[in-house]
Amino acid sequence: MPSDILAEPETGASATIGCIDCDLHPALPGLKALLPYLSDYWREQITMRGIDAMDLALYAPRHPLSARPDWRLPDGRKPGTDLGALQRDALDAFGIDLAICNVLYGAQIVMNQHFGAALCTAINDWLAAEWLDADKRLRGSIVVPMQDPEKAVEEIERRANDRRFVQVLLPSAADMPLGRRPYWPIYAAAEKYGLPVGIHAARTDRFAPTCVGWPSYLIEDHAALAANMQGQLLSLLCEGVFSQHPKLKVVLLESGVTWLPSFMWRADTTWRALRMEMPWVDRSPIEIVREHVRVTVQPLDAPALARDGRDPLPAILEQLGAPEMLLFATDYPHWQFEGDAALPSGLPADFVRRIKSENPLATYPRLKEAVA
Amino acid sequence: MSTQLAPEAPAETRLKIIDCDIHPLLRNPRDIRAYLSPVWHEHFDIYGNGLRQPFAAGDLYPKAAPYISRRDAWPPSGGPPGSDLDFMRQQHLDPMNVEFGILQVLAPTGANQRNLDFGAALCSAVNDWQLAEWMDREPRLRGSLTVPQDFPEAAVAEVRRHGRSGKFAQVSVTQRTLEPIGRRRFWPIFAAAVEHGLPLGIHSGGNAGHPIVPGGGWGSFYAEQHQAIGFAMQAIVTSFVMEGVFEEFPELKVVLIEGGFGWLPALTWRLDRLWERMRSEVPRLRRPPSEYIHEHIWLTTQPMDETEKPRQLRQLFDWVGWDRLLFSSDYPHWDQDDPRWAFPFRMSEAERQQLFRGNAAALFGLGEG
C-alpha cells in the first residue's frame, strides 16, 4: 500500500464510532405497509385500483443479487423486511454503530408525479416510525420525488429537522440527466441543511439502460449501472453543480469503485480540450471529484488478481488519490460478498478505520451528532 | 538497434507504424453520388440523409472544430481535411512512416440511415469510393468495409462482394446501434466476417436515438457526448460477452476503435463478479467474461487515456494486455494522437514494436507479420 494512502487524516474524529455502514436496505414489504402514512385519496386509489407492484426489477426478490443466500428470510418473505434479521445479520454481525438506510422502491420512478411525491413522503414517515424509532443505530436517507423537483425540496425541508435523516437519496436516473438545472434546487436544499446527496444505482426505463439500446439480460442491466453512474457524474461536473454548490457532497452508492480513476482522467482530458463549453468549471474534474464525491465500497469491482498477476487494489487506490473518498458499506441484504469479508483482506488497519469511521463522519456531518 | 519515431531520424532506424484509424473524407458531399446506384440518385438529390437527428445537416452536439479536424489539416488544394490523398501522404503517411493505414469513413454513413435500403446502397457506394479513390491509388491504405448492420441480409451481401479483395482490413458496423450489437439479429454479419477471415471493427460515433447518459437522458454538451464513446463501448463489450457471441463464433475478432481503453479493466472485473452471481441467466457462457474479452477484443489507443502519472498509463497497458492494443492516430481529427508524444512512459523495444505495428500486423494479416 503506498504510504500516502496511510497518512493520518487532518481532522480528528471520535473513536467511539468504530463502524458506519453507509448503504443498507430496509425493504418495504409492499405498498400496503404505506397505507397508514398516505392520505385518504391515495389510500383509496391504491385499494380501489389494486396497486401493489412497485418492487424494482433490478432487485426483484428472487434475483441472486437481491439477497445473500444466508440473509434470505426463512419464510420466503422479501429480503430486508425484517428488523430483527437486519439487526442480527448486519448491525450485530459487523459491529455496526451507525447505519444509513436507503430504501429502494418505485416511489422515485413511478410516472405520476403526484403519486411519486405522496409515496416518498410516506416512505420517509414509515422509515422514521418503523425503523429509526426502533433502533438507535439506524439513520435514514430522505427519499425525494425526482418527478417533481419542487416537491423534492419540500420533502427535504419537511424532514430536515429530524437529525436522524443524514442524506438526500436520488436514483441514478430520472427524466433528464441529474446535472440539469431543474434539479439544482434539490442540491441547494441539500447543501443548506448539511445533507450529502446519495445517488443510488437505479433503472427507471425512461430510456434504454445503455447508449446502444436495450440489452437482453438483467446481468447486462447491472453491468450498465457503472456507465450510468459515469454519465450522471459527468453531467453533474459539466453542468457546474459543484461550481454552484461548493459545500455539496455527492455519494455514489452501489455502482462500483474501480472505474473512477479512468473516468477522472478522461473527464480531465475532455475538460482541458472543451472547457470552452463550460466556462463555469474552473478547475480540473479530478480535483472536483476528489473534493466532492464519495463512493461506497460495495461493490468494489476488483478481483484478487488482475491480468498482470497482481492485486489491482493498491494501484487503484493510489490512482484514486484521495483515501477519504471511500465509505464502508455492507449493502445488506444485497449479495456482494461472502461471510464477513465486507472489505478485501490485507488492507492496513489504519486504512480500514478510515473507511469505516473517519470518512463517513467527515462526509455526513449529522453522524457526528451521535458522537456528542 | 532501437527504432525511433522522429521523422528526421535516418530511414533505417525509423519505426514502421500501422495506423488503425485514419479518416478520409469526400471533397464534396455530393461526390458520393457517382458511386451510388442510379436507382437512388433521385432519392439522394431530394431527401439525402435520413438519420436520427433533428438538423438537416450537422450534429445535435456541435463539434469542437470544423470537420472535427486539426486546423493545419486543410489541404492547400482546397476541400476539407482528409479529402486529399497527396496531402495526407505529405502530412501524415510519409513523416510518420506509416507502413499501413486503415481508413474509417464517418460520413456519409450508410449504417445509421433510417431507410434501410438507402443505407445499404450508401454503404456499397462508400466501399466502392474507398477502393477507387484511396486503396487503388495508395498501396499503404486499407479500407473498412462498412455494412448496414440493421439490414443483415444486405450487410452479408456486402461482405461477400468485397470481403476477399484484400483491400479491406475489417468489416465495419456503427457504434450506436438500435440494439446492443451482440443480439441475435446481428449474428449473420459475424458469421460472414469469420467466413472471410475479417475482424469486426466498431468505430465510435453515430446516433440510433439512445441518449448519451446511459439510462439517464440527453446531456447538454459535446464534452459529454465525447466521453460517452466509452460508455457505449462498455455496453458493446458486455453485450458481445453476455449474448455468448464468442461461444458461437470462436474465431470472431472485435476491434473497438476510438473508444479509449482505460474503462476496460474495471468493466472486465465487474462482469466477472456479476457472472459469478448470475451465470444461471446466461448459460451460453462457459467461462468467465474476462477470458472472452482477452481472447476476442482489441482496442485502438486514440483518444489516449491521459493518466496523471506516466506509470499509471503503463499500468493500464498491463491490465488491458500489451497484445491487445493497436496504435491509431485519428488523423486528421482535432484530438488526434501523435505517435511521438502520446505514450509518455518507457517501453521496451519489443513492446514498442507490438504497439505500433506487430499487434495490428498479426490481427489484420498485414505486412510480414
Side-chain angles (χ1 to χ4, degrees):
Chain A
M1 203 66 48
S3 59
D4 54 334
I5 284 176
L6 303 180
E8 285 295 316
E10 288 172 16
T11 53
S14 169
T16 60
I17 304 290
C19 183
I20 298 167
D21 186 344
C22 295
D23 187 29
L24 87 177
H25 303 292
L28 268 176
L31 206 45
K32 285 195 179 68
L34 292 183
L35 291 179
Y37 305 96
L38 287 161
S39 68
D40 289 346
Y41 172 78
W42 285 113
R43 265 201 296 274
E44 187 188 329
Q45 287 288 303
I46 288 167
T47 308
M48 187 182 73
R49 294 163 69 181
I51 305 171
D52 190 21
M54 296 172 68
D55 286 334
L56 304 181
L58 271 181
Y59 303 104
R62 285 173 179 276
H63 289 161
L65 290 177
S66 69
R68 231 171 86 161
D70 57 332
W71 288 346
R72 289 194 177 272
L73 301 178
D75 47 6
R77 277 178 302 147
K78 192 169 141 189
T81 53
D82 186 305
L83 174 66
L86 178 141
Q87 288 168 323
R88 182 189 66 234
D89 292 335
L91 303 186
D92 299 342
F94 292 88
I96 291 165
D97 299 302
L98 292 171
I100 301 173
C101 300
N102 293 319
V103 180
L104 307 178
Y105 198 62
Q108 297 181 293
I109 294 169
V110 67
M111 291 292 180
N112 178 333
Q113 62 184 327
H114 310 287
F115 193 26
L119 287 174
C120 285
T121 300
I123 285 173
N124 294 326
D125 286 339
W126 168 83
L127 183 67
E130 307 201 13
W131 294 81
L132 308 189
D133 285 353
D135 191 313
K136 282 164 58 177
R137 291 170 289 186
L138 297 179
R139 295 293 180 272
S141 290
I142 305 170
V143 175
V144 298
M146 292 306 283
Q147 302 95 327
D148 184 344
E150 269 184 47
K151 290 282 185 192
V153 170
E154 282 177 26
E155 187 60 25
I156 293 169
E157 288 176 342
R158 180 180 299 124
R159 216 55 66 176
N161 288 333
D162 183 342
R163 309 292 293 183
R164 298 173 303 174
F165 283 94
V166 301
Q167 172 172 252
V168 175
L169 185 67
L170 310 186
S172 66
D175 294 330
M176 64 181 96
L178 296 179
R180 300 288 294 270
R181 280 181 176 258
Y183 299 128
W184 285 19
I186 297 174
Y187 305 126
E191 188 183 38
K192 174 179 165 189
Y193 292 109
L195 297 161
V197 169
I199 303 176
H200 198 284
R203 210 190 88 200
T204 58
D205 293 3
R206 304 294 198 265
F207 315 96
T210 83
C211 295
V212 293
W214 292 90
S216 305
Y217 303 111
L218 183 72
I219 192 172
E220 294 180 86
D221 294 344
H222 278 282
L225 291 171
N228 161 245
M229 197 64 90
Q230 292 160 33
Q232 296 291 14
L233 178 54
L234 188 61
S235 171
L236 294 171
L237 288 164
C238 292
E239 300 278 357
V241 169
F242 300 111
S243 312
Q244 184 73 18
H245 302 289
K247 288 186 279 181
L248 184 69
K249 288 272 194 299
V250 165
V251 182
L252 311 182
L253 299 157
E254 203 175 334
S255 53
V257 173
T258 50
W259 55 263
L260 263 161
S262 69
F263 169 90
M264 294 194 300
W265 296 328
R266 175 65 63 195
D268 177 65
T269 297
T270 309
W271 168 76
R272 280 187 278 122
L274 295 170
R275 54 189 293 189
M276 61 189 174
E277 274 197 298
M278 38 180 153
W280 44 84
V281 183
D282 58 2
R283 60 194 174 123
S284 165
I286 296 177
E287 276 179 56
I288 298 174
V289 168
R290 284 177 180 155
E291 182 181 327
H292 289 274
V293 177
R294 302 292 176 258
V295 56
T296 56
V297 297
Q298 299 305 345
L300 272 175
D301 287 333
L305 297 177
R307 203 183 179 193
D308 60 2
R310 284 185 294 193
D311 174 5
L313 199 54
I316 288 285
L317 295 176
E318 188 264 343
Q319 294 166 1
L320 207 52
E324 62 271 28
M325 286 179 68
L326 297 177
L327 307 178
F328 179 76
T330 61
D331 199 22
Y332 175 89
H334 296 171
W335 188 11
Q336 303 288 7
F337 59 90
E338 313 293 348
D340 56 0
L343 290 172
S345 58
L347 291 177
D350 276 0
F351 189 55
V352 169
R353 182 170 50 78
R354 295 193 68 173
I355 295 176
K356 284 186 167 178
S357 169
E358 284 150 31
N359 294 349
L361 287 172
T363 302
Y364 297 100
R366 293 181 174 211
L367 291 182
K368 290 185 198 136
E369 295 163 14
V371 178
Chain B
M1 183 172 55
S2 88
T3 50
Q4 300 185 32
L5 288 155
E8 62 277 11
E12 66 275 14
T13 68
R14 289 179 59 200
L15 180 70
K16 288 189 208 167
I17 286 175
I18 297 178
D19 183 350
C20 295
D21 190 19
I22 295 175
H23 294 291
L25 195 60
L26 293 159
R27 189 176 165 89
N28 181 313
R30 289 192 55 76
D31 292 349
I32 198 65
R33 194 177 187 277
Y35 295 90
L36 195 60
S37 164
V39 301
W40 288 103
H41 282 188
E42 185 183 343
H43 179 95
F44 179 80
D45 293 342
I46 297 174
Y47 302 104
N49 281 321
L51 303 172
R52 293 175 189 85
Q53 65 137 335
F55 305 143
D59 198 294
L60 199 51
Y61 295 94
K63 297 291 184 280
Y67 295 93
I68 346 174
S69 284
R70 282 165 56 173
R71 302 282 172 180
D72 65 347
W74 290 77
S77 59
S83 66
D84 181 324
L85 174 58
D86 284 332
F87 188 63
M88 182 187 286
R89 287 174 177 134
Q90 270 175 47
Q91 188 174 41
H92 185 64
L93 301 181
D94 296 343
M96 296 303 161
N97 208 23
V98 174
E99 182 187 13
F100 293 101
I102 298 175
L103 303 176
Q104 282 290 338
V105 183
L106 298 189
T109 167
N112 279 119
Q113 297 291 333
R114 289 190 290 160
N115 177 331
L116 294 180
D117 295 296
F118 179 60
L122 200 51
C123 283
S124 294
V126 164
N127 293 329
D128 290 342
W129 170 74
Q130 290 183 79
L131 260 179
E133 305 207 15
W134 298 88
M135 285 93 84
D136 283 351
R137 291 173 58 203
E138 173 50 70
R140 286 175 287 184
L141 294 178
R142 293 291 181 277
S144 291
L145 185 50
T146 177
V147 299
Q149 72 285 332
D150 292 326
F151 187 176
E153 298 89 340
V156 169
E158 192 63 14
V159 174
R160 294 194 192 292
R161 197 163 73 91
H162 285 300
R164 298 203 194 281
S165 69
K167 298 291 181 74
F168 289 92
Q170 61 199 337
V171 174
S172 170
V173 297
T174 186
Q175 183 193 43
R176 303 299 170 89
T177 45
L178 289 169
E179 298 179 10
I181 189 67
R183 281 168 63 87
R184 277 185 169 272
R185 63 186 296 186
F186 303 114
W187 288 18
I189 302 172
F190 309 151
V194 167
E195 182 192 328
H196 290 77
L198 295 170
L200 183 78
I202 302 179
H203 187 287
S204 286
N207 179 15
H210 301 298
I212 60 175
V213 179
W218 292 94
S220 303
F221 306 109
Y222 173 47
E224 293 174 89
Q225 189 199 32
H226 198 55
Q227 188 154 348
I229 59 181
F231 306 159
M233 289 303 190
Q234 292 176 56
I236 285 167
V237 171
T238 303
S239 177
F240 272 124
V241 169
M242 294 305 172
E243 296 281 356
V245 169
F246 300 127
E247 279 293 336
E248 186 72 18
F249 302 100
E251 294 168 74
L252 182 65
K253 297 168 178 174
V254 172
V255 191
L256 305 180
I257 304 156
E258 202 174 344
F261 54 87
W263 46 265
L264 185 67
L267 176 74
T268 303
W269 302 334
R270 184 175 179 85
L271 295 185
D272 274 1
R273 176 194 46 95
L274 287 168
W275 180 72
E276 275 180 36
R277 298 276 185 269
M278 300 177 70
R279 52 199 292 181
S280 60
E281 197 198 10
V282 284
R284 215 176 270 135
L285 272 64
R286 295 192 296 183
R287 294 182 289 152
S290 54
E291 293 189 20
Y292 296 107
I293 291 169
H294 294 158
E295 284 171 26
H296 294 274
I297 304 277
W298 279 256
L299 307 101
T300 63
T301 52
Q302 185 279 339
M304 183 60 62
D305 288 85
E306 296 179 304
T307 57
E308 282 184 286
K309 296 166 186 163
R311 65 182 155 75
Q312 295 167 332
L313 183 54
R314 200 187 155 88
Q315 176 72 75
L316 278 185
F317 272 61
D318 291 342
W319 283 338
V320 171
W322 281 85
D323 55 345
R324 285 299 178 268
L325 290 161
L326 311 168
F327 173 75
S328 62
S329 72
D330 197 36
Y331 177 87
H333 286 174
W334 70 290
D335 54 342
Q336 90 160 74
D337 281 337
D338 187 313
R340 292 167 292 178
W341 317 119
F343 305 89
F345 61 89
R346 292 178 70 85
M347 55 179 100
S348 69
E349 184 62 19
E351 289 166 343
R352 190 197 313 272
Q353 290 288 349
Q354 259 188 308
L355 173 66
F356 285 101
R357 185 180 181 281
N359 291 338
L363 173 65
F364 297 114
L366 294 170
E368 291 150 17

